[in-house]
Every structure is written in C-alpha cells, then in structure tokens.
Amino acid sequence: MPQQDRAYATREAILHAAAEKFDRLGYERTSLTAVLARAGLTKGAFYFHFPSKEAVADALVERQSELWTRLRESWRLRGLDPLSTLHGMFTESADRIAADVVLRAGVRLNADREVGYPGVPSSHVLWEKLVATYVAEAGERGHLRAGADPEAVARTLCSAALGSRLISSATTACTDFPARIREVLAHVLPCVAAPEWKLSGSQTGSEGP
Amino acid sequence: MPQQDRAYATREAILHAAAEKFDRLGYERTSLTAVLARAGLTKGAFYFHFPSKEAVADALVERQSELWTRLRESWRLRGLDPLSTLHGMFTESADRIAADVVLRAGVRLNADREVGYPGVPSSHVLWEKLVATYVAEAGERGHLRAGADPEAVARTLCSAALGSRLISSATTACTDFPARIREVLAHVLPCVAAPEWKLSGSQTGSEGP
C-alpha cells in the first residue's frame, strides 16, 4: 500500500483503538499505553500522528461534530415536515451511535468535557435551541397541540435522548439505543403534535428511508 | 458543644465540603487537599472520621440510597394512584436534589461509579424496573391508554429524568431541575395515561403537598 494510504490506515487504527477505550472508560481512565496496546503500535508510530492523548480526543470530538452538520443537511434535503425531520434525525443519530464506536466515543468525550467546567457554553443548550427551532416551525405549520411550548418540548426530547444514550451505554454498550430513542419519540411526539400530524418518511425501523 | 456533637459537626462539614467538590468536578478530579481546604480542616481531623476520599464518597452514596427508600415509603403512605405517586416521587426527588448538594453529589457519584465498569448491575436497570411496577399497576387499575407498555414508559421516564438532571447540573447547577422534571412528566404522562386519569395530590408547584 502506498505510504500515504498506510499513514491514513495507521491514523484510523489509532482513532479506532482510542475510541474503544474512551467509549468504555472515559478520557481520564484511558491511558495512552492501553491505546497503543489495543492498536498494536509503538509510541513512535503514535507520535507521528498525534502529539498527545488529548489530540486524539480532539480528533474524535471534531469528527462527531462534523457528522451532525452533514446529518442535518441531509434531512433538510428530504423536505419532510419539521416533526418528521426531528424524528428522522434523532433515530438516525441513535442508529449511527449504536453502530460506530468512533462516533460513540466522540459523543461521550464531547459531553464529558462539559462536566466540571461551569461557564463553558454547553452543547446541551445549543442542541436544545436547535431542536426548539424545528418544534417552533412545526407550530407555525399548525402541527402542534394548542399550548405546546417548543422550548419545553426541546428540553424534554434532548434530556430523554441524553439519558437514553447514557443508560444504553452503561447497560448494553448502546446496542438498544436505537430502540430506546424510538420509544422516547413515541411517548413524547403524540403528546405534543396536533392530532392530524402524521410521521412522514419511514423511520420506524432501524434503517433510514 | 459536647465532644460527640462536635465530632458529628466535623463529619458533616467534611461530607458537605466533599459534596460541593464532587458535585462540580466528579470523583476523579476532586483532590482530598481541595476538600480539606474547603472544610478548613487538617488531614489529621479528616482521618479521624474517614480513612480515604473513597470512604467519603461511599458515605455520600449511602446517604442518597437511604433517602430513596424513605421517599418511596412516604409516598406509599399517601395512598395516591400509581401514576400520581410516580409524579410525586419524581418531582420530590428533583426538588431535593436541587436543594441539597450532599444529596446531589451522592446521586452523581453513584451514577459515575457505574460508567466504565461493565457487568456491574446497573442502578438504572433497577430504577427502570421499579418505575415499571408503578406503571404496570396503573395499567391494572385502568389508568393507562391501550397499548402502553409499562417497561417502555419506565425507560422513557428514567432516561428523561437522568438527562434532565445532567443537563440541569451542567447548565444551572441543578437550579432548573425541578422545572425540567415537571416538563418531562407533563410531556409523557398525558401520552400514556387513560384520558380519564387525573393527577392526584398537589405536585404541580415546587412544594410537596
């Protein structure tokens, strides 16, 4: 394999090995030694690609951050109504997190970084604001029940999604996260949607449309 | 103050100072030195009461665990219907967690201990089972909508409660946790309860009945 491809493969192997450790143990309890052992690499090979354990974590956080931007754009292009778009984004996120340890580790690292640093603008707040814009748009289209508060709905959905991920991670390594997120949506959306709203697209299974 | 009372006061001061640190920083990032500085105590005074930082964490975890048993019993004695009892227990828990850093730290430590130790029976699973028994009892009394699955409802409620606590902790030091848990209950219970079910007791404000 050309040197460039080999370098890429090594970098990915480091990210994958680190992700497996970070996903199970978190940042603090993961040692660089354990990552190297997992990846079957020497320190020299590692330092060719990353200056530190923190830099690997940065790369994982960055990767998950890019994915959410792409995911939002892909759901926007489907042109579904806002509540169906939200349903699709939540379920696809859960499916991807369950399937991909690199993504899962990035999500965990990103969330863990915020704990213990009061004052750092919380990504939870940003997610809640983003979700609230979809719910508010649903309201403008007449898809919400009278009295439904978009920000309160967003807080409930984001809380339940976070809690589902953490419980699923602690109990089944996220295997049941896709099923859990669908339960959450099935328990909340009918409560806040107007009776005539119907889910568009086919996001009831584990596959995207 | 008699020596016994002074010893009790010192022990409580240690628990309170440690709770403040654990609540903000978690177990790993909290140093014994920081706890001593916060409590204004020497190492000698500390070691008279606790053999280690871990022992203080154990005491905090133990204390929150005892509270839940008492809280369940006090709500059982009110004799409300199962869904109203669940509503009361969730809201009172949130009110207490928001008001008491010692309790809040114990809850956090207990939850954090489970992360990274796969195979340890998860308290999440125990909570979900407990909540499911209340929802199932509501079903036996005809208080659930047709098709509502008690275990799925329990998973949604426990996920949303956990997520609410964590987001509230990260963004407002749990100040808005009571309001958040009430939003969650308002978005989920009407979805799963039979239309004729009505909330008993007066748990809509921040005060208990």
Side-chain angles (χ1 to χ4, degrees):
Chain A
M1 140 160 92
Q3 192 179 340
Q4 207 172 314
D5 293 358
R6 211 160 50 225
Y8 177 80
T10 305
R11 193 172 188 279
E12 287 297 304
I14 293 168
L15 285 173
H16 199 276
E20 287 186 332
K21 292 292 173 186
F22 288 141
D23 177 48
R24 282 171 67 96
L25 302 170
Y27 183 79
E28 312 269 357
R29 279 193 285 225
T30 294
S31 70
L32 187 52
T33 314
V35 173
L36 296 178
R38 178 83 201 160
L41 289 172
T42 62
K43 272 198 181 179
F46 176 88
Y47 285 120
F48 180 78
H49 293 277
F50 294 100
S52 61
K53 180 177 94 167
E54 195 180 0
V56 184
D58 289 343
L60 292 167
V61 167
E62 177 69 15
R63 191 173 284 202
Q64 59 94 40
S65 159
E66 292 163 359
L67 176 66
W68 306 136
T69 310
R70 289 204 308 277
L71 190 130
R72 281 169 56 194
E73 179 60 10
S74 87
W75 280 94
R76 192 185 67 74
L77 292 172
R78 294 187 203 204
L80 302 179
D81 69 274
L83 293 183
S84 297
T85 302
L86 266 188
H87 190 285
M89 291 195 301
F90 270 112
T91 52
E92 186 179 339
S93 302
D95 295 347
R96 284 174 176 267
I97 286 171
D100 180 0
V101 70
V102 171
L103 175 60
R104 198 155 66 237
V107 170
R108 176 176 178 173
L109 290 166
N110 187 52
D112 288 355
R113 281 181 174 193
E114 300 191 345
V115 180
Y117 297 102
V120 173
S122 167
S123 70
H124 299 306
V125 172
L126 302 176
W127 280 112
E128 287 179 351
K129 280 192 177 160
L130 178 70
V131 170
T133 62
Y134 287 85
V135 182
E137 205 197 314
E140 285 159 20
R141 296 202 194 180
H143 294 172
L144 288 190
R145 273 177 210 276
D149 171 359
E151 294 191 0
V153 173
R155 282 191 289 270
T156 294
L157 287 175
C158 290
S159 295
L162 172 64
S164 293
R165 180 175 64 76
L166 293 172
I167 296 177
S168 176
S169 170
T171 56
T172 69
C174 278
T175 309
D176 68 358
F177 186 33
R180 279 178 176 265
I181 206 84
R182 284 167 174 80
E183 284 175 355
V184 163
L185 295 163
H187 285 133
V188 176
L189 289 186
C191 234
V192 300
E196 54 274 22
W197 173 78
K198 286 250 170 353
L199 182 63
S200 303
S202 60
Q203 308 97 15
T204 46
S206 274
E207 303 284 309
Chain B
M1 131 163 96
Q3 192 180 340
Q4 210 170 314
D5 294 356
R6 212 160 49 225
Y8 177 81
T10 305
R11 194 173 188 278
E12 287 298 303
I14 293 169
L15 285 173
H16 199 276
E20 287 185 333
K21 293 292 174 186
F22 287 143
D23 177 47
R24 281 171 68 95
L25 301 171
Y27 182 79
E28 312 269 358
R29 279 193 285 225
T30 295
S31 70
L32 188 52
T33 314
V35 172
L36 296 177
R38 177 85 200 158
L41 289 171
T42 62
K43 272 198 182 179
F46 176 88
Y47 285 119
F48 180 78
H49 294 277
F50 294 100
S52 62
K53 180 178 94 167
E54 194 180 2
V56 184
D58 288 344
L60 292 167
V61 167
E62 176 69 17
R63 189 173 285 199
Q64 59 94 39
S65 158
E66 291 163 1
L67 175 68
W68 305 135
T69 310
R70 291 205 306 278
L71 191 130
R72 279 169 57 193
E73 180 61 10
S74 87
W75 280 94
R76 194 185 65 75
L77 292 171
R78 296 186 201 204
L80 302 179
D81 70 273
L83 292 184
S84 297
T85 301
L86 266 188
H87 190 284
M89 292 195 302
F90 270 112
T91 53
E92 186 180 338
S93 302
D95 294 346
R96 286 174 175 266
I97 285 171
D100 180 1
V101 70
V102 172
L103 176 60
R104 199 155 65 237
V107 169
R108 176 175 178 174
L109 290 166
N110 187 52
D112 287 355
R113 282 182 173 192
E114 300 191 345
V115 180
Y117 297 102
V120 173
S122 166
S123 70
H124 298 304
V125 172
L126 301 176
W127 280 112
E128 287 179 351
K129 281 192 179 162
L130 178 69
V131 171
T133 63
Y134 287 84
V135 183
E137 205 197 316
E140 286 160 19
R141 296 202 194 180
H143 295 173
L144 287 191
R145 273 178 210 275
D149 171 359
E151 295 191 359
V153 173
R155 281 191 290 269
T156 294
L157 287 175
C158 290
S159 294
L162 172 64
S164 294
R165 179 174 67 74
L166 293 172
I167 295 177
S168 176
S169 170
T171 56
T172 69
C174 277
T175 309
D176 70 356
F177 186 33
R180 278 177 177 267
I181 205 86
R182 284 166 174 80
E183 284 174 355
V184 163
L185 294 163
H187 285 132
V188 176
L189 289 186
C191 234
V192 300
E196 56 273 22
W197 173 78
K198 285 250 171 352
L199 182 62
S200 302
S202 59
Q203 309 97 15
T204 46
S206 273
E207 302 285 307

PDB file of all heavy atoms in Angstrom, chain B residues 177-208:
ATOM      1  N   PHE B 177     -33.693  22.009  37.666  1.00  0.00           N
ATOM      2  CA  PHE B 177     -34.076  20.596  37.601  1.00  0.00           C
ATOM      3  C   PHE B 177     -35.548  20.383  37.994  1.00  0.00           C
ATOM      4  O   PHE B 177     -36.268  19.649  37.297  1.00  0.00           O
ATOM      5  CB  PHE B 177     -33.122  19.760  38.466  1.00  0.00           C
ATOM      6  CG  PHE B 177     -33.306  18.274  38.381  1.00  0.00           C
ATOM      7  CD1 PHE B 177     -33.717  17.650  37.195  1.00  0.00           C
ATOM      8  CD2 PHE B 177     -33.064  17.478  39.485  1.00  0.00           C
ATOM      9  CE1 PHE B 177     -33.881  16.270  37.131  1.00  0.00           C
ATOM     10  CE2 PHE B 177     -33.225  16.101  39.431  1.00  0.00           C
ATOM     11  CZ  PHE B 177     -33.635  15.497  38.259  1.00  0.00           C
ATOM     12  N   PRO B 178     -36.054  21.033  39.060  1.00  0.00           N
ATOM     13  CA  PRO B 178     -37.479  20.854  39.395  1.00  0.00           C
ATOM     14  C   PRO B 178     -38.407  21.235  38.243  1.00  0.00           C
ATOM     15  O   PRO B 178     -39.371  20.512  37.948  1.00  0.00           O
ATOM     16  CB  PRO B 178     -37.663  21.786  40.601  1.00  0.00           C
ATOM     17  CG  PRO B 178     -36.314  21.815  41.251  1.00  0.00           C
ATOM     18  CD  PRO B 178     -35.348  21.812  40.103  1.00  0.00           C
ATOM     19  N   ALA B 179     -38.116  22.341  37.568  1.00  0.00           N
ATOM     20  CA  ALA B 179     -38.976  22.754  36.447  1.00  0.00           C
ATOM     21  C   ALA B 179     -38.848  21.775  35.288  1.00  0.00           C
ATOM     22  O   ALA B 179     -39.831  21.414  34.640  1.00  0.00           O
ATOM     23  CB  ALA B 179     -38.604  24.165  35.991  1.00  0.00           C
ATOM     24  N   ARG B 180     -37.601  21.311  35.042  1.00  0.00           N
ATOM     25  CA  ARG B 180     -37.387  20.383  33.927  1.00  0.00           C
ATOM     26  C   ARG B 180     -38.114  19.054  34.144  1.00  0.00           C
ATOM     27  O   ARG B 180     -38.681  18.488  33.208  1.00  0.00           O
ATOM     28  CB  ARG B 180     -35.884  20.114  33.745  1.00  0.00           C
ATOM     29  CG  ARG B 180     -35.168  21.196  32.961  1.00  0.00           C
ATOM     30  CD  ARG B 180     -33.676  20.883  32.892  1.00  0.00           C
ATOM     31  NE  ARG B 180     -32.979  21.857  32.085  1.00  0.00           N
ATOM     32  CZ  ARG B 180     -32.725  21.738  30.779  1.00  0.00           C
ATOM     33  NH1 ARG B 180     -33.084  20.648  30.144  1.00  0.00           N
ATOM     34  NH2 ARG B 180     -32.103  22.690  30.128  1.00  0.00           N
ATOM     35  N   ILE B 181     -38.062  18.534  35.365  1.00  0.00           N
ATOM     36  CA  ILE B 181     -38.698  17.221  35.583  1.00  0.00           C
ATOM     37  C   ILE B 181     -40.213  17.347  35.430  1.00  0.00           C
ATOM     38  O   ILE B 181     -40.876  16.431  34.926  1.00  0.00           O
ATOM     39  CB  ILE B 181     -38.297  16.635  36.966  1.00  0.00           C
ATOM     40  CG1 ILE B 181     -38.408  15.105  36.929  1.00  0.00           C
ATOM     41  CG2 ILE B 181     -39.174  17.135  38.102  1.00  0.00           C
ATOM     42  CD1 ILE B 181     -37.226  14.411  36.420  1.00  0.00           C
ATOM     43  N   ARG B 182     -40.765  18.490  35.821  1.00  0.00           N
ATOM     44  CA  ARG B 182     -42.218  18.698  35.645  1.00  0.00           C
ATOM     45  C   ARG B 182     -42.591  18.783  34.161  1.00  0.00           C
ATOM     46  O   ARG B 182     -43.642  18.298  33.756  1.00  0.00           O
ATOM     47  CB  ARG B 182     -42.664  19.953  36.413  1.00  0.00           C
ATOM     48  CG  ARG B 182     -42.758  19.699  37.920  1.00  0.00           C
ATOM     49  CD  ARG B 182     -42.866  20.964  38.738  1.00  0.00           C
ATOM     50  NE  ARG B 182     -43.088  20.682  40.149  1.00  0.00           N
ATOM     51  CZ  ARG B 182     -42.145  20.328  41.023  1.00  0.00           C
ATOM     52  NH1 ARG B 182     -40.880  20.216  40.607  1.00  0.00           N
ATOM     53  NH2 ARG B 182     -42.443  20.069  42.276  1.00  0.00           N
ATOM     54  N   GLU B 183     -41.723  19.392  33.360  1.00  0.00           N
ATOM     55  CA  GLU B 183     -41.964  19.417  31.914  1.00  0.00           C
ATOM     56  C   GLU B 183     -41.965  18.005  31.335  1.00  0.00           C
ATOM     57  O   GLU B 183     -42.820  17.655  30.529  1.00  0.00           O
ATOM     58  CB  GLU B 183     -40.858  20.219  31.203  1.00  0.00           C
ATOM     59  CG  GLU B 183     -40.980  21.711  31.335  1.00  0.00           C
ATOM     60  CD  GLU B 183     -39.778  22.447  30.728  1.00  0.00           C
ATOM     61  OE1 GLU B 183     -38.799  21.788  30.284  1.00  0.00           O
ATOM     62  OE2 GLU B 183     -39.826  23.683  30.714  1.00  0.00           O
ATOM     63  N   VAL B 184     -40.983  17.209  31.752  1.00  0.00           N
ATOM     64  CA  VAL B 184     -40.900  15.832  31.261  1.00  0.00           C
ATOM     65  C   VAL B 184     -42.194  15.087  31.586  1.00  0.00           C
ATOM     66  O   VAL B 184     -42.804  14.446  30.723  1.00  0.00           O
ATOM     67  CB  VAL B 184     -39.686  15.109  31.899  1.00  0.00           C
ATOM     68  CG1 VAL B 184     -39.810  13.609  31.738  1.00  0.00           C
ATOM     69  CG2 VAL B 184     -38.380  15.625  31.296  1.00  0.00           C
ATOM     70  N   LEU B 185     -42.626  15.178  32.833  1.00  0.00           N
ATOM     71  CA  LEU B 185     -43.838  14.454  33.252  1.00  0.00           C
ATOM     72  C   LEU B 185     -45.048  14.962  32.478  1.00  0.00           C
ATOM     73  O   LEU B 185     -45.915  14.180  32.085  1.00  0.00           O
ATOM     74  CB  LEU B 185     -44.030  14.609  34.761  1.00  0.00           C
ATOM     75  CG  LEU B 185     -42.935  13.936  35.602  1.00  0.00           C
ATOM     76  CD1 LEU B 185     -42.952  14.462  37.036  1.00  0.00           C
ATOM     77  CD2 LEU B 185     -43.080  12.412  35.586  1.00  0.00           C
ATOM     78  N   ALA B 186     -45.097  16.279  32.243  1.00  0.00           N
ATOM     79  CA  ALA B 186     -46.234  16.861  31.514  1.00  0.00           C
ATOM     80  C   ALA B 186     -46.234  16.435  30.049  1.00  0.00           C
ATOM     81  O   ALA B 186     -47.276  16.421  29.400  1.00  0.00           O
ATOM     82  CB  ALA B 186     -46.194  18.388  31.611  1.00  0.00           C
ATOM     83  N   HIS B 187     -45.052  16.092  29.509  1.00  0.00           N
ATOM     84  CA  HIS B 187     -44.984  15.679  28.104  1.00  0.00           C
ATOM     85  C   HIS B 187     -45.172  14.177  27.935  1.00  0.00           C
ATOM     86  O   HIS B 187     -45.433  13.723  26.827  1.00  0.00           O
ATOM     87  CB  HIS B 187     -43.640  16.085  27.489  1.00  0.00           C
ATOM     88  CG  HIS B 187     -43.550  17.547  27.187  1.00  0.00           C
ATOM     89  ND1 HIS B 187     -42.495  18.321  27.542  1.00  0.00           N
ATOM     90  CD2 HIS B 187     -44.419  18.376  26.581  1.00  0.00           C
ATOM     91  CE1 HIS B 187     -42.698  19.566  27.163  1.00  0.00           C
ATOM     92  NE2 HIS B 187     -43.870  19.624  26.584  1.00  0.00           N
ATOM     93  N   VAL B 188     -44.976  13.398  28.986  1.00  0.00           N
ATOM     94  CA  VAL B 188     -45.049  11.941  28.834  1.00  0.00           C
ATOM     95  C   VAL B 188     -46.330  11.358  29.445  1.00  0.00           C
ATOM     96  O   VAL B 188     -47.018  10.567  28.801  1.00  0.00           O
ATOM     97  CB  VAL B 188     -43.802  11.256  29.452  1.00  0.00           C
ATOM     98  CG1 VAL B 188     -43.926   9.737  29.388  1.00  0.00           C
ATOM     99  CG2 VAL B 188     -42.533  11.723  28.737  1.00  0.00           C
ATOM    100  N   LEU B 189     -46.658  11.758  30.672  1.00  0.00           N
ATOM    101  CA  LEU B 189     -47.792  11.105  31.339  1.00  0.00           C
ATOM    102  C   LEU B 189     -49.118  11.237  30.574  1.00  0.00           C
ATOM    103  O   LEU B 189     -49.835  10.240  30.441  1.00  0.00           O
ATOM    104  CB  LEU B 189     -47.936  11.608  32.792  1.00  0.00           C
ATOM    105  CG  LEU B 189     -46.830  11.130  33.751  1.00  0.00           C
ATOM    106  CD1 LEU B 189     -47.140  11.554  35.180  1.00  0.00           C
ATOM    107  CD2 LEU B 189     -46.651   9.611  33.680  1.00  0.00           C
ATOM    108  N   PRO B 190     -49.470  12.428  30.026  1.00  0.00           N
ATOM    109  CA  PRO B 190     -50.742  12.505  29.298  1.00  0.00           C
ATOM    110  C   PRO B 190     -50.755  11.602  28.064  1.00  0.00           C
ATOM    111  O   PRO B 190     -51.808  11.223  27.581  1.00  0.00           O
ATOM    112  CB  PRO B 190     -50.830  13.980  28.877  1.00  0.00           C
ATOM    113  CG  PRO B 190     -49.896  14.694  29.783  1.00  0.00           C
ATOM    114  CD  PRO B 190     -48.796  13.725  30.098  1.00  0.00           C
ATOM    115  N   CYS B 191     -49.558  11.270  27.565  1.00  0.00           N
ATOM    116  CA  CYS B 191     -49.429  10.426  26.378  1.00  0.00           C
ATOM    117  C   CYS B 191     -49.729   8.966  26.707  1.00  0.00           C
ATOM    118  O   CYS B 191     -50.143   8.207  25.847  1.00  0.00           O
ATOM    119  CB  CYS B 191     -47.993  10.500  25.871  1.00  0.00           C
ATOM    120  SG  CYS B 191     -47.833  10.960  24.172  1.00  0.00           S
ATOM    121  N   VAL B 192     -49.462   8.572  27.938  1.00  0.00           N
ATOM    122  CA  VAL B 192     -49.574   7.152  28.289  1.00  0.00           C
ATOM    123  C   VAL B 192     -50.760   6.885  29.212  1.00  0.00           C
ATOM    124  O   VAL B 192     -51.228   5.756  29.309  1.00  0.00           O
ATOM    125  CB  VAL B 192     -48.270   6.631  28.947  1.00  0.00           C
ATOM    126  CG1 VAL B 192     -47.093   6.793  27.993  1.00  0.00           C
ATOM    127  CG2 VAL B 192     -47.982   7.316  30.262  1.00  0.00           C
ATOM    128  N   ALA B 193     -51.261   7.929  29.881  1.00  0.00           N
ATOM    129  CA  ALA B 193     -52.377   7.731  30.807  1.00  0.00           C
ATOM    130  C   ALA B 193     -53.692   7.682  30.043  1.00  0.00           C
ATOM    131  O   ALA B 193     -53.836   8.315  28.991  1.00  0.00           O
ATOM    132  CB  ALA B 193     -52.409   8.861  31.832  1.00  0.00           C
ATOM    133  N   ALA B 194     -54.656   6.939  30.577  1.00  0.00           N
ATOM    134  CA  ALA B 194     -56.004   6.938  30.016  1.00  0.00           C
ATOM    135  C   ALA B 194     -56.561   8.360  30.127  1.00  0.00           C
ATOM    136  O   ALA B 194     -56.226   9.077  31.081  1.00  0.00           O
ATOM    137  CB  ALA B 194     -56.872   5.951  30.789  1.00  0.00           C
ATOM    138  N   PRO B 195     -57.387   8.782  29.165  1.00  0.00           N
ATOM    139  CA  PRO B 195     -57.871  10.171  29.159  1.00  0.00           C
ATOM    140  C   PRO B 195     -58.571  10.543  30.468  1.00  0.00           C
ATOM    141  O   PRO B 195     -58.548  11.710  30.862  1.00  0.00           O
ATOM    142  CB  PRO B 195     -58.864  10.187  27.992  1.00  0.00           C
ATOM    143  CG  PRO B 195     -58.490   9.037  27.127  1.00  0.00           C
ATOM    144  CD  PRO B 195     -57.886   8.005  28.023  1.00  0.00           C
ATOM    145  N   GLU B 196     -59.174   9.558  31.177  1.00  0.00           N
ATOM    146  CA  GLU B 196     -59.917   9.882  32.401  1.00  0.00           C
ATOM    147  C   GLU B 196     -59.008   9.983  33.629  1.00  0.00           C
ATOM    148  O   GLU B 196     -59.453  10.422  34.685  1.00  0.00           O
ATOM    149  CB  GLU B 196     -61.046   8.863  32.646  1.00  0.00           C
ATOM    150  CG  GLU B 196     -60.613   7.419  32.706  1.00  0.00           C
ATOM    151  CD  GLU B 196     -60.581   6.760  31.316  1.00  0.00           C
ATOM    152  OE1 GLU B 196     -60.485   7.503  30.295  1.00  0.00           O
ATOM    153  OE2 GLU B 196     -60.626   5.526  31.251  1.00  0.00           O
ATOM    154  N   TRP B 197     -57.716   9.600  33.492  1.00  0.00           N
ATOM    155  CA  TRP B 197     -56.810   9.710  34.645  1.00  0.00           C
ATOM    156  C   TRP B 197     -56.543  11.173  34.960  1.00  0.00           C
ATOM    157  O   TRP B 197     -56.363  11.992  34.061  1.00  0.00           O
ATOM    158  CB  TRP B 197     -55.476   8.999  34.371  1.00  0.00           C
ATOM    159  CG  TRP B 197     -54.471   9.245  35.462  1.00  0.00           C
ATOM    160  CD1 TRP B 197     -54.420   8.661  36.689  1.00  0.00           C
ATOM    161  CD2 TRP B 197     -53.375  10.187  35.432  1.00  0.00           C
ATOM    162  NE1 TRP B 197     -53.377   9.158  37.422  1.00  0.00           N
ATOM    163  CE2 TRP B 197     -52.720  10.107  36.677  1.00  0.00           C
ATOM    164  CE3 TRP B 197     -52.899  11.093  34.477  1.00  0.00           C
ATOM    165  CZ2 TRP B 197     -51.605  10.885  36.992  1.00  0.00           C
ATOM    166  CZ3 TRP B 197     -51.802  11.874  34.790  1.00  0.00           C
ATOM    167  CH2 TRP B 197     -51.158  11.764  36.036  1.00  0.00           C
ATOM    168  N   LYS B 198     -56.547  11.502  36.246  1.00  0.00           N
ATOM    169  CA  LYS B 198     -56.218  12.873  36.677  1.00  0.00           C
ATOM    170  C   LYS B 198     -55.160  12.811  37.762  1.00  0.00           C
ATOM    171  O   LYS B 198     -55.230  11.954  38.650  1.00  0.00           O
ATOM    172  CB  LYS B 198     -57.456  13.574  37.241  1.00  0.00           C
ATOM    173  CG  LYS B 198     -58.482  14.029  36.230  1.00  0.00           C
ATOM    174  CD  LYS B 198     -58.491  15.572  36.130  1.00  0.00           C
ATOM    175  CE  LYS B 198     -59.332  16.111  34.976  1.00  0.00           C
ATOM    176  NZ  LYS B 198     -59.861  15.128  34.028  1.00  0.00           N
ATOM    177  N   LEU B 199     -54.217  13.744  37.718  1.00  0.00           N
ATOM    178  CA  LEU B 199     -53.167  13.808  38.730  1.00  0.00           C
ATOM    179  C   LEU B 199     -53.772  14.099  40.107  1.00  0.00           C
ATOM    180  O   LEU B 199     -54.525  15.058  40.263  1.00  0.00           O
ATOM    181  CB  LEU B 199     -52.185  14.920  38.349  1.00  0.00           C
ATOM    182  CG  LEU B 199     -50.971  15.118  39.257  1.00  0.00           C
ATOM    183  CD1 LEU B 199     -50.092  13.875  39.260  1.00  0.00           C
ATOM    184  CD2 LEU B 199     -50.166  16.323  38.791  1.00  0.00           C
ATOM    185  N   SER B 200     -53.477  13.237  41.098  1.00  0.00           N
ATOM    186  CA  SER B 200     -53.915  13.480  42.477  1.00  0.00           C
ATOM    187  C   SER B 200     -52.786  14.123  43.266  1.00  0.00           C
ATOM    188  O   SER B 200     -51.621  14.023  42.889  1.00  0.00           O
ATOM    189  CB  SER B 200     -54.287  12.171  43.161  1.00  0.00           C
ATOM    190  OG  SER B 200     -55.281  11.511  42.461  1.00  0.00           O
ATOM    191  N   GLY B 201     -53.136  14.714  44.401  1.00  0.00           N
ATOM    192  CA  GLY B 201     -52.130  15.407  45.200  1.00  0.00           C
ATOM    193  C   GLY B 201     -51.901  16.758  44.563  1.00  0.00           C
ATOM    194  O   GLY B 201     -52.547  17.130  43.589  1.00  0.00           O
ATOM    195  N   SER B 202     -50.961  17.547  45.097  1.00  0.00           N
ATOM    196  CA  SER B 202     -50.724  18.875  44.515  1.00  0.00           C
ATOM    197  C   SER B 202     -49.244  19.041  44.277  1.00  0.00           C
ATOM    198  O   SER B 202     -48.551  19.725  45.000  1.00  0.00           O
ATOM    199  CB  SER B 202     -51.250  19.969  45.446  1.00  0.00           C
ATOM    200  OG  SER B 202     -50.617  19.879  46.697  1.00  0.00           O
ATOM    201  N   GLN B 203     -48.779  18.319  43.247  1.00  0.00           N
ATOM    202  CA  GLN B 203     -47.325  18.378  42.999  1.00  0.00           C
ATOM    203  C   GLN B 203     -46.999  19.237  41.795  1.00  0.00           C
ATOM    204  O   GLN B 203     -45.997  19.032  41.132  1.00  0.00           O
ATOM    205  CB  GLN B 203     -46.769  16.961  42.766  1.00  0.00           C
ATOM    206  CG  GLN B 203     -47.142  15.977  43.819  1.00  0.00           C
ATOM    207  CD  GLN B 203     -48.352  15.155  43.374  1.00  0.00           C
ATOM    208  OE1 GLN B 203     -48.712  15.141  42.237  1.00  0.00           O
ATOM    209  NE2 GLN B 203     -48.981  14.494  44.324  1.00  0.00           N
ATOM    210  N   THR B 204     -47.855  20.195  41.488  1.00  0.00           N
ATOM    211  CA  THR B 204     -47.559  20.995  40.306  1.00  0.00           C
ATOM    212  C   THR B 204     -46.556  22.111  40.586  1.00  0.00           C
ATOM    213  O   THR B 204     -45.835  22.534  39.709  1.00  0.00           O
ATOM    214  CB  THR B 204     -48.840  21.588  39.711  1.00  0.00           C
ATOM    215  OG1 THR B 204     -49.608  22.131  40.783  1.00  0.00           O
ATOM    216  CG2 THR B 204     -49.651  20.517  39.018  1.00  0.00           C
ATOM    217  N   GLY B 205     -46.512  22.594  41.840  1.00  0.00           N
ATOM    218  CA  GLY B 205     -45.540  23.624  42.189  1.00  0.00           C
ATOM    219  C   GLY B 205     -44.235  22.988  42.625  1.00  0.00           C
ATOM    220  O   GLY B 205     -44.006  21.809  42.380  1.00  0.00           O
ATOM    221  N   SER B 206     -43.375  23.772  43.246  1.00  0.00           N
ATOM    222  CA  SER B 206     -42.098  23.247  43.715  1.00  0.00           C
ATOM    223  C   SER B 206     -42.216  22.658  45.117  1.00  0.00           C
ATOM    224  O   SER B 206     -41.291  22.019  45.601  1.00  0.00           O
ATOM    225  CB  SER B 206     -41.043  24.345  43.720  1.00  0.00           C
ATOM    226  OG  SER B 206     -40.427  24.425  42.473  1.00  0.00           O
ATOM    227  N   GLU B 207     -43.340  22.883  45.758  1.00  0.00           N
ATOM    228  CA  GLU B 207     -43.536  22.392  47.128  1.00  0.00           C
ATOM    229  C   GLU B 207     -44.255  21.050  47.095  1.00  0.00           C
ATOM    230  O   GLU B 207     -45.067  20.795  46.220  1.00  0.00           O
ATOM    231  CB  GLU B 207     -44.434  23.375  47.902  1.00  0.00           C
ATOM    232  CG  GLU B 207     -43.912  24.773  47.960  1.00  0.00           C
ATOM    233  CD  GLU B 207     -42.764  24.905  48.932  1.00  0.00           C
ATOM    234  OE1 GLU B 207     -42.959  24.495  50.084  1.00  0.00           O
ATOM    235  OE2 GLU B 207     -41.690  25.374  48.558  1.00  0.00           O
ATOM    236  N   GLY B 208     -43.986  20.192  48.073  1.00  0.00           N
ATOM    237  CA  GLY B 208     -44.755  18.958  48.212  1.00  0.00           C
ATOM    238  C   GLY B 208     -46.149  19.307  48.725  1.00  0.00           C
ATOM    239  O   GLY B 208     -46.420  20.463  49.045  1.00  0.00           O
TER     240      GLY B 208
END
